[in-house]
Amino acid sequence: MKGIKIRGTGRCVPQGVLTNQDLSQRMDTSDEWITSRTGIRRRHHCKKETLTGLSLQAAGEALRKAGVAPEKIGVCVVATVTPETLVPSTACMLQRELGLAEDTLCFDLNAACTGFLFALHTVECLLQASSRPFGLVLGAEVLSRIVNWEDRSTCILFGDGAGAVVVESREGWPSIGAVMGCVGNDRLLHVDGPGSGRPPLLSMEGQRVFKFAVEAVPRCMDQVLERHGVTADQVDFFVFHQANARIIDLVVRKYQIPAEKYYINLEEYGNTSAASIPLVLSELEEQGRIKAESRVLMVGFGGGLTWGGALVEFAEGAYGDERK
Ligand code: UT7
């Protein structure tokens, strides 16, 4: 059996920034309410940028930092619920723009905010059967295009961005041992698709999703730790889906995770759904806080409802020369 490790990360967020102050001029809300309930202060929203463009930048950076040529990629999966086009998939456009080989398996995947972890798990499985050792995994969203600006309890939460990782698959490396699941629920978090005949606007029962998250995150963490036979203090870093700082605080307190072992960036980006975990990975790598052999436990949750967790290692020599 082969396992995967991360060799390089990349990210791209649009330039346009919407602060809580900006929002309070457009609707009945305040910086104080948003900050105290969520931890969010700003979010980046696309103006001219596109989901494909953000994805291309993030993927290019990840390939460069990994020192991996595009033609060595065997699988490319983009987790998104906001593709620029349903057909072709974002991943197909990456094939063309990055120059991936024509027999690379390229497709988009929807598991809402857990999408990146579903994609990572999928890529690990598909690389078992690939003749090439590398995979490209993205989480990318332009949620600003589907938020309902009439609903102040949700529109203040979401931002746009793309994060990417290049993984390598090798015999003898540990599997990420992903735990994933879903339970169909079309009310708690909902976005209509083209088949519904209704416009794609995001709606959410925030309090009920909050309760689900507070139960699902520790459950996933316990399952991942058990599957890998490690305790929480043997993990080098924890990366949580960035939905609400209060959810992260509750988990961190429950496991007594020290401040230097987890990271919150939703203050700057808001909730970027599938992009949130790879955006964190990319910032951590850039800051030198995740290095070769670091073991990182990631947990996500979101619409579907979906949840997932995995423990991934970073590879020796990742990020090529730029890392030194
Ligand atoms: O990534 C996908 C997963 N999603 C999540 O993890 C989201 C989880 N849920 C949450 O993060 C929180 O439930 C929210 C941040 C969405 C909402 O926070 P809350 O503490 O659950 O607030 P609430 O919806 O219970 O609303 C409390 C009050 C209400 O007023 P009344 O009825 O008490 O008078 C709302 O009308 O806050 C009001 N409110 C606002 N006030 C100012 C709702 N939105 C706003 C707002 N500004 N933007």
Side-chain angles (χ1 to χ4, degrees):
M1 288 287 278
K2 297 180 204 164
I4 54 166
K5 294 189 184 186
I6 294 178
R7 272 182 59 102
T9 65
R11 68 179 186 280
C12 184
V13 291
Q15 291 198 323
V17 169
L18 199 60
T19 64
N20 292 350
Q21 202 63 42
D22 296 333
L23 286 169
S24 68
Q25 282 161 12
R26 287 169 65 163
M27 64 191 74
D28 183 15
T29 190
S30 64
D31 177 45
E32 197 282 327
W33 192 96
I34 301 172
T35 310
S36 63
R37 300 277 175 145
T38 69
I40 300 165
R41 291 182 188 279
R42 294 143 58 94
R43 65 288 290 145
H44 291 243
H45 281 184
C46 286
K47 287 186 181 140
K48 289 193 177 146
E49 300 96 336
T50 62
L51 183 103
T52 309
L54 297 179
S55 301
L56 193 55
Q57 291 289 325
E61 185 183 323
L63 285 166
R64 234 178 8 261
K65 289 189 170 174
V68 169
E71 59 271 20
K72 291 197 179 152
I73 296 291
V75 184
C76 170
V77 180
V78 180
T80 185
V81 296
T82 48
E84 191 178 336
T85 50
L86 286 177
V87 180
S89 69
T90 315
C92 280
M93 295 317 289
L94 292 184
Q95 182 280 327
R96 184 179 81 183
E97 298 301 320
L98 292 169
L100 306 181
E102 286 184 10
D103 63 352
T104 306
L105 205 50
C106 295
F107 60 94
D108 291 0
L109 172 158
N110 169 2
C113 301
T114 325
F116 176 76
L117 294 180
F118 272 60
L120 195 66
H121 175 51
T122 303
V123 167
E124 180 175 64
C125 296
L126 291 174
L127 284 175
Q128 298 284 350
S130 174
S131 58
R132 298 198 202 92
F134 298 102
L136 190 51
V137 190
L138 284 92
E141 302 289 5
V142 285
L143 296 162
S144 60
R145 303 259 158 80
I146 61 163
V147 294
N148 180 356
W149 292 107
E150 305 293 311
D151 177 5
R152 66 176 180 166
S153 70
T154 56
C155 70
I156 51 114
L157 299 173
F158 296 100
D160 305 341
V165 302
V166 170
V167 297
E168 181 174 355
S169 170
R170 273 197 205 170
E171 205 67 53
W173 275 357
S175 163
I176 62 170
V179 298
M180 321 251 106
C182 75
V183 48
N185 183 310
D186 59 358
R187 281 181 301 116
L188 293 197
L189 223 166
H190 186 100
V191 184
D192 279 311
S196 74
R198 292 181 293 270
L201 288 179
L202 191 155
S203 65
M204 180 172 73
E205 290 189 30
Q207 279 196 7
R208 292 181 65 192
V209 175
F210 193 101
K211 281 190 192 130
F212 154 69
V214 168
E215 179 274 321
V217 175
R219 176 164 47 80
C220 276
M221 277 180 67
D222 289 344
Q223 287 173 358
V224 174
L225 292 171
E226 193 187 327
R227 183 165 286 195
H228 287 267
V230 294
T231 56
D233 44 328
Q234 291 174 299
V235 171
D236 297 305
F237 221 95
F238 295 85
V239 174
F240 302 106
H241 168 46
Q242 307 282 304
N244 187 318
R246 286 189 291 145
I247 296 172
I248 298 176
D249 285 346
L250 284 167
V251 176
V252 158
R253 257 187 271 138
K254 185 177 165 86
Y255 289 85
Q256 299 184 324
I257 299 171
E260 64 277 11
K261 280 197 173 189
Y262 72 98
Y263 188 69
I264 294 183
N265 66 6
L266 50 67
E267 162 174 327
E268 176 66 25
Y269 302 124
N271 180 346
T272 56
S273 189
S276 91
I277 289 179
L279 281 179
V280 171
L281 292 175
S282 164
E283 290 200 340
L284 288 173
E285 182 277 314
E286 194 172 78
Q287 294 170 18
R289 293 173 73 182
I290 291 183
K291 299 192 172 70
E293 310 308 327
S294 288
R295 288 206 291 193
V296 182
L297 197 160
M298 303 168 290
V299 185
F301 59 89
L305 299 167
T306 54
W307 59 87
L311 186 71
V312 71
E313 279 186 32
F314 276 62
E316 187 75 50
Y319 321 115
D321 294 333
E322 288 185 32
R323 194 169 178 221
K324 290 168 193 146

